[in-house]
Amino acid sequence: MSAPVPRRAVLRGAVLLGAAAGATAFNQFGDDRGARAAATRVDQPDIANCATWDARPPSSNVSVVQSKPNKIIVHHTAFPNTTDYSLAQAYRNSRDIQNLHMDTNGWLDSGQHFTNSRGGFLTEARHGSLYALLHGQTMVQGAHCVGQNSEAIGIENDGIYVDVQPPKALWDSLVWFCAFTCQQYGIPSREIYGHKDFNNTECPGLLHGRLPELRTAVAARLGG
């Protein structure tokens, strides 16, 4: 027969168990960083850097913001909806955007940080954006949304979606990219917006109405 356990030891054990349970609850429901650490890790999607798609060098040095972005802003390019879903077309599209932004808009580089093609291929747009994303501590200042360029990661989705939905490949790639970006920077999935939330524009078309769906899908990729 086992010796009886002193009442003081039982009470002490109960207190320790209660403290552990409280710590677990805090990590899961009170401390968002702890919840993210316990969530399912999102693998890095393939993102072609600027050199890979033969980007022009910036006309001047890009500015690096010494803090993390706090949101993602979704755009569409308003270019015609190509039926060429190839990787080569994704690279051509990235060059076309950069040429427009530098030669017509007068910007030092592509305005957005990343581009998502209709075939679901991701490219780095503004130089330095991929390095910053992978390290997760800084961001490159963009030129994609007035008032948000030092706070938000901008992603251009190739095409115009005023009256048609994007291809599934583009949508799936957008979900993956947003989930990975949220993970890298600690951005809550609720902090995903459309361009028209901040500026007077129709961008990103019908994608704006799907932002609740996008946030939900990103949250699921992050493990809830």
Side-chain angles (χ1 to χ4, degrees):
M1 180 176 179
S2 302
V5 179
R7 183 171 182 273
R8 180 179 298 176
V10 173
L11 291 175
R12 182 174 180 274
V15 169
L16 291 174
L17 286 173
T24 300
F26 179 75
N27 285 337
Q28 290 181 341
F29 304 110
D31 183 346
D32 190 50
R33 291 171 300 175
R36 285 197 301 271
T40 302
R41 183 158 186 83
V42 179
D43 291 334
Q44 177 189 335
D46 290 333
I47 304 174
N49 63 23
C50 289
T52 300
W53 57 266
D54 198 23
R56 296 159 58 180
S59 61
S60 60
N61 292 333
V62 297
S63 297
V64 177
V65 181
Q66 297 299 320
S67 60
K68 300 178 183 182
N70 56 28
K71 63 178 72 70
I72 297 171
I73 296 180
V74 175
H75 301 261
H76 68 181
T77 64
F79 284 0
N81 291 328
T82 180
T83 56
D84 184 349
Y85 292 173
S86 68
L87 179 61
Q89 171 57 27
Y91 291 175
R92 281 193 295 270
N93 177 63
S94 294
R95 290 191 292 270
D96 288 344
I97 294 172
Q98 187 187 40
N99 289 337
L100 174 67
H101 287 181
M102 294 181 72
D103 298 338
T104 301
N105 295 4
W107 298 343
L108 62 89
D109 198 356
S110 300
Q112 76 282 12
H113 296 92
F114 298 93
T115 307
N116 186 25
S117 80
R118 282 173 58 82
F121 295 107
L122 293 163
T123 56
E124 177 186 31
R126 179 159 286 210
H127 286 75
S129 298
L130 182 56
Y131 177 90
L133 174 63
L134 296 184
H135 288 78
Q137 299 300 315
T138 62
M139 66 172 289
V140 170
Q141 182 173 329
H144 60 95
C145 183
V146 176
Q148 298 295 320
N149 289 315
S150 296
E151 300 180 15
I153 294 297
I155 179 167
E156 286 275 10
N157 294 278
D158 182 34
I160 183 166
Y161 301 108
V162 174
D163 53 12
V164 296
Q165 292 289 344
K168 185 177 185 300
L170 182 148
W171 175 260
D172 290 345
S173 180
L174 178 62
V175 171
W176 190 356
F177 172 81
C178 287
F180 182 72
T181 301
C182 285
Q183 171 185 272
Q184 291 300 103
Y185 284 125
I187 300 173
S189 57
R190 64 180 178 273
E191 296 296 326
I192 301 174
Y193 299 93
H195 190 183
K196 68 186 298 182
D197 289 320
F198 301 98
N199 296 162
N200 183 21
T201 176
E202 289 301 311
C203 175
L206 296 180
L207 278 169
H208 191 270
R210 296 183 68 179
L211 288 177
E213 179 185 354
L214 177 60
R215 295 178 188 121
T216 298
V218 168
R221 289 293 294 264
L222 292 168

